[in-house]
Amino acid sequence: MEVVAVDEVRQALLDGRRALPGVGRVRPGAAGSLPFVVVDDHDVEIAPISTFLRDLMLTDMSPLTARSYGHDLLRWWRLLSVLSVPWEHASRSEVEVLVGWMRSADNPQRHRRRPAAAPAGSMNRRTGKPSLRQGYAPATINHALSVLSTFYAFHAQFGHGPVSNPVPVSASRRARLAHRSPIEAQGEHRRAPLRQKPPVLLPRAIPDGLFDELVGAMRSHRDRALLALYLSSGARASELLGVRGEQVDWTRQQVWVVSKGTRALQPVPASPEALRHLACYFDEHGTPAADEIIWRTLRGTPRPLPYFAARRVLQRANALLGTDWTLHDLRHTTIERMTSDPALSLPDVMAVSRHQRVSSLDPYLRPRVDDVFERLQRHYTQPRPAQTLTPGYDAADFRTVFGG
């Protein structure tokens, strides 16, 4: 009876009919070597996870990466608690249950709290962008598998955990990567078992007309300056929101941001229009000191503008215009405009976007569906060219051979 009950639990998880318990959480750590800690339902630190996350930090990983890994491992810990399987005894069978659950379970982050919000998976008529579908995306599942594989590979070095890594790997991929020059493009290989097929990424650039409309929906000089700087710099949302007063170079028309990947201070371009809006914003609300964040709230006591407040600025404009643009769409728009400019080379685009690999630009090099359809519409309306014979051929001979 006990075996039957366990099988029923596994099947219920595979089908997404059973939710994982909300035990444990990821909370900030007390030490810089461990910025985030995964704790159980008694608020006790889970030692194997902390050891792994601390090693990530010592190898110069971002604290945000440690938090992301922590959430993936917390999900895994909750699944094992339902199956009553210790982490060091986990096998591929438990990994299969995790993948099945993520493929079929409800993702709470896809819940729409606003009544007017578009349902998951629907298409916005104005932008042509599909909203995120219900459930967990294939990339999220693959990321969870990568985290688990790295977690168990780390502990295997010290003789802990199962004898073999419970996350299956692709032998052909390992063989290709083992004998590949780092300057060569990565070849095609079969996906590892349980890995999901990633979708084909398409550019999400904002057309010029819709961007002008978006700028017109901004309520203040601060919002217009923020929007124009996002578009001209190609910076990520969090990077630009961290700019301080001393990091605005008016003479060279650039701002300095802390890059997300390297965490190095790097310059990004600023258009004259963006700097003009920024100057108006400073004139209206005061120029920040050298060590102050330049983006501040406009109501109440001025304080640094958080990411969620910046996103809310765009959400208000979306509600007015019937669109669904995001802050990251502005970065996509910048890169798409640069890649379509014949005067700019791919190294130029990589220098501005701060991508480390040329393959990261692949989505921007694919033709936009809207542009292809527009060219096809022009093709359909063009008159068909009149067919004429090549000089030297007799029309009577053609009529004799082909008729007509």
Side-chain angles (χ1 to χ4, degrees), residues 199-203 336 339 359-369 371-372 375:
V200 177
L201 298 178
L202 296 175
E336 194 274 338
T339 54
S359 58
S360 301
L361 298 178
D362 286 348
Y364 308 99
L365 302 178
R366 300 188 183 105
R368 285 172 50 88
V369 176
D371 295 339
V372 174
R375 290 194 293 269

Side-chain angles (χ1 to χ4, degrees), residues 300-375:
T301 303
R303 59 187 186 277
L305 187 72
Y307 168 79
F308 296 103
R311 187 178 66 175
R312 184 62 187 142
V313 169
L314 213 55
Q315 288 175 341
R316 285 196 295 265
N318 283 330
L320 180 65
L321 303 174
T323 53
D324 59 349
W325 303 120
T326 65
L327 292 174
H328 201 62
D329 288 338
L330 297 170
R331 175 173 167 84
H332 280 253
T333 303
T334 306
I335 300 175
E336 194 274 338
R337 288 183 177 184
M338 289 190 296
T339 54
S340 60
D341 188 341
L344 296 176
S345 64
L346 286 182
D348 295 335
V349 179
M350 293 178 65
V352 175
S353 64
R354 288 161 291 125
H355 279 121
Q356 301 299 317
R357 299 180 180 85
V358 178
S359 58
S360 301
L361 298 178
D362 286 348
Y364 308 99
L365 302 178
R366 300 188 183 105
R368 285 172 50 88
V369 176
D370 291 344
D371 295 339
V372 174
F373 285 1
E374 184 178 346
R375 290 194 293 269

Side-chain angles (χ1 to χ4, degrees), residues 53 163 172 194 222 295 316 365:
L53 295 181
V163 175
S172 62
L194 304 182
R222 182 206 64 184
W295 308 110
R316 285 196 295 265
L365 302 178

Side-chain angles (χ1 to χ4, degrees), residues 1-14 17:
M1 291 296 293
E2 184 177 351
V3 175
V4 174
V6 171
D7 290 341
E8 289 178 352
V9 170
R10 287 178 177 268
Q11 192 61 48
L13 289 170
L14 277 168
R17 293 183 284 106

Side-chain angles (χ1 to χ4, degrees), residues 170-184:
S170 170
S172 62
R173 179 178 183 272
R174 279 193 168 184
R176 287 180 182 273
L177 294 181
H179 303 284
R180 180 178 65 89
S181 169
I183 64 175
E184 295 178 358

Side-chain angles (χ1 to χ4, degrees), residues 38 80 115 142 155-156 188 224 228 258 294 311 324 345 382 400:
V38 182
L80 293 180
N142 290 341
H155 283 288
E188 294 293 331
R224 284 186 284 271
V258 177
I294 66 174
R311 187 178 66 175
D324 59 349
S345 64
Q382 289 177 354
T400 302

Side-chain angles (χ1 to χ4, degrees), residues 1 21 61 77 130 155 211 221 225 230 239 259 274 296 309 319 392 397 400:
M1 291 296 293
M61 285 288 186
W77 212 261
H155 283 288
F211 180 79
H221 289 301
Y230 271 127
E239 294 173 346
S259 186
R296 295 162 290 178
D397 293 339
T400 302

